Amino acid sequence: MGRLFFIALVNVGSYLVLRRLWPSLREGWRRQVFLGLAVLSVLAFALPIALGFGEHGVLPVVGLPLKLFSSGWIVAVGLVMLLGWPLALVRGRAARAREGLVPTLQVGTEGPTLVAAAPPVEVDMERRNLLTGMGRALPLLAAGTSSAGMVAGSSGFEVREIEVRLRGLPRALDGFRIGQITDVHVGTFIDTEYVRATVEVMNKAQVDLQVMTGDLIDDLTQLDATMAALEACRAPHGMLAVLGNHEHWRGLRAIREAYAASARRGSPVRLLVDESHVIEHAGQRVRVVGVDYPMGRTRSMRVKAERMRQSAEVAFRGTSAEEVVLCLTHHPDFFPFALERGARLTLSGHTHGGQVAILGMPLFRFAFDYMLGRYRRGDGQLYVSGGTGHWLPFRIGVPAEVSIFTLRADT
């Protein structure tokens, strides 16, 4: 229900902004069209719930196109609301000034009082026309941006080859290859065939180890088929996975049982929850540590650091100097804890890279300490993937990715 409330809120906010910037929207056919499309954007997600298809379900035939339309519409009206309110404030102040309604402070014998200012003698028509033109252009800009982002967000994933040079890496591990998927979000817009395609890409790349760093699935009705797709892994050391926040939110017990059932079948897929798994490659031991998502179902940032510290104490137990330690974590903020315990390479996801970047710089880089790409500190490195899927098919400058890492010794 939170999603429906958000959709309704963004529609209302955008409408209020457009009423100020585009006064003709207040009545006539423009108003009817806007309200009709706004209602349709809500119904696209409300009807599947009401008809028993579930939050992530789609109606037959028309369901997916409706949800795609709704997603694009919400992005567009969200942009209108975010970018338009400063213009609306300026336009409103200018209108009040023309009407003599901007108050001024006047000091008299009885103290200061607020009085209405006299109407200005002249109106800056050039400035007024500029504000009007910008207000009318904003919906077109928002619609164009939304369309471009939806096309990019629905265009699948790219394969990103990354060479990681680690000081003192044993010769046996020079050339060791790891394939990473993360934040797939199987659900409304991502199906199990998409997952199977990502696994097949890693198979063809002949990686030695495949990893999945959380937020695998949102729609539990697709859980069995999703696990079957992961089990197509043919890497010599299999696939190691960790949990993300969406596993905790969508159905942790069912997801953990699905991983356990997969392991009982002898599949190559193994889930790590505050534990480690040792593999031997060309005579060299590699310990892969996997930690749980720190906030669980609480969604409280206050417990994050303490939960990460607890996970680190448990998960890194038993590590030795003879091993090369790798760390898998959904949340990239675990990086300092992994470094303290000797992890040479930490792989994470969670942020999606903000899904929007301008000239390679994430637009929302302020939201996380580690937002996208590679980070180095001492002898350790962190890679934050932009995500393999999405929960909203909108990306600009941050394509979905399957990451292929090749370890190299840096002498």
Side-chain angles (χ1 to χ4, degrees):
M1 299 305 292
R3 178 179 298 188
L4 295 179
F5 176 76
F6 173 77
I7 293 173
L9 182 65
V10 173
N11 273 303
V12 171
S14 176
Y15 179 69
L16 294 176
V17 167
L18 284 175
R19 276 171 59 93
R20 175 66 66 180
L21 296 179
W22 203 352
S24 59
L25 188 68
R26 299 177 184 178
E27 57 187 16
W29 67 270
R30 291 183 179 86
R31 179 174 179 270
Q32 299 302 321
V33 169
F34 182 92
L35 294 179
L37 294 176
V39 170
L40 188 61
S41 72
V42 175
L43 290 178
F45 286 90
L47 282 177
I49 297 174
L51 296 177
F53 290 91
E55 181 182 359
H56 301 282
V58 294
L59 300 176
V61 183
V62 298
L64 186 57
L66 273 178
K67 285 196 170 183
L68 285 171
F69 155 76
S70 179
S71 299
W73 173 263
I74 292 306
V75 170
V77 295
L79 287 172
V80 167
M81 185 174 68
L82 290 174
L83 301 178
W85 70 266
L87 288 175
L89 288 177
V90 172
R91 186 181 176 92
R93 183 174 178 82
R96 290 192 298 273
R98 288 195 302 273
E99 298 168 2
L101 298 179
V102 177
T104 59
L105 186 66
Q106 186 177 80
V107 180
T109 57
E110 298 180 357
T113 58
L114 286 174
V115 298
V121 176
E122 295 182 0
V123 176
D124 188 339
M125 295 302 297
E126 183 177 350
R127 181 184 179 190
R128 181 180 178 183
N129 291 337
L130 176 63
L131 287 173
T132 300
M134 292 175 66
R136 290 180 175 176
L138 183 58
L140 298 177
L141 173 65
T145 302
S146 175
S147 298
M150 291 290 291
V151 170
S154 302
S155 298
F157 58 86
E158 68 175 33
V159 179
R160 179 162 295 180
E161 293 271 358
I162 303 152
E163 188 174 88
V164 179
R165 293 194 167 272
L166 298 175
R167 188 177 303 136
L169 185 74
R171 185 176 299 276
L173 296 180
D174 190 87
F176 187 83
R177 285 164 66 79
I178 305 169
Q180 180 196 19
I181 60 173
T182 187
D183 300 272
V184 184
H185 292 285
V186 174
T188 302
F189 304 108
I190 301 290
D191 61 17
T192 56
E193 288 305 310
Y194 186 95
V195 183
R196 192 175 293 276
T198 67
V199 173
E200 186 57 32
V201 160
M202 293 188 287
N203 288 337
K204 288 182 178 179
Q206 297 183 328
V207 300
D208 299 293
L209 172 69
Q210 298 183 16
V211 301
M212 200 291 298
T213 51
D215 280 7
L216 172 65
I217 188 167
D218 288 328
D219 181 8
L220 295 189
T221 65
Q222 302 185 59
L223 182 55
D224 290 343
T226 298
M227 295 307 302
L230 295 184
E231 290 169 2
C233 165
R234 297 196 300 272
H237 300 296
M239 175 184 288
L240 299 177
V242 295
L243 299 170
N245 51 307
H246 280 244
E247 280 89 349
H248 282 271
W249 297 348
R250 304 305 183 194
L252 180 62
R253 179 178 298 179
I255 292 170
R256 292 196 64 168
E257 174 53 34
Y259 275 110
S262 179
R264 288 194 296 269
R265 290 193 296 271
S267 86
V269 181
R270 174 169 179 165
L271 177 67
L272 301 178
V273 184
D274 288 345
E275 59 186 307
S276 64
H277 177 69
V278 177
I279 62 178
E280 187 169 313
H281 184 83
Q284 173 64 47
R285 284 168 59 91
V286 179
R287 184 178 294 270
V288 183
V289 177
V291 296
D292 196 2
Y293 182 74
M295 278 90 80
R297 292 183 59 85
T298 66
R299 306 195 186 196
S300 172
M301 296 296 290
R302 291 179 296 178
V303 305
K304 184 180 73 171
E306 181 57 30
R307 293 277 180 85
M308 285 184 173
R309 187 174 295 107
Q310 293 171 1
S311 288
E313 290 174 358
V314 175
F316 281 83
R317 194 173 294 158
T319 58
S320 70
E322 289 74 33
E323 301 168 332
V324 173
V325 180
L326 309 178
C327 180
L328 308 180
T329 172
H330 184 63
H331 203 303
D333 282 0
F334 190 79
F335 181 42
F337 296 93
L339 274 177
E340 288 175 1
R341 287 157 179 83
R344 304 299 307 280
L345 174 63
T346 300
L347 302 179
S348 72
H350 187 52
T351 69
H352 296 211
Q355 295 197 191
V356 178
I358 307 299
L359 299 177
M361 185 68 68
L363 187 62
F364 306 105
R365 62 187 181 277
F366 56 85
F368 293 92
D369 292 335
Y370 309 100
M371 188 66 178
L372 177 66
R374 191 186 320 213
Y375 300 84
R376 296 179 177 87
R377 185 180 296 178
D379 287 337
Q381 295 187 35
L382 164 71
Y383 185 80
V384 185
S385 169
T388 308
H390 50 71
W391 50 264
L392 180 71
F394 177 84
R395 287 180 177 269
I396 293 178
V398 186
E401 64 177 274
V402 173
S403 312
I404 306 294
F405 304 92
T406 302
L407 305 189
R408 294 296 182 192
D410 189 7
T411 55

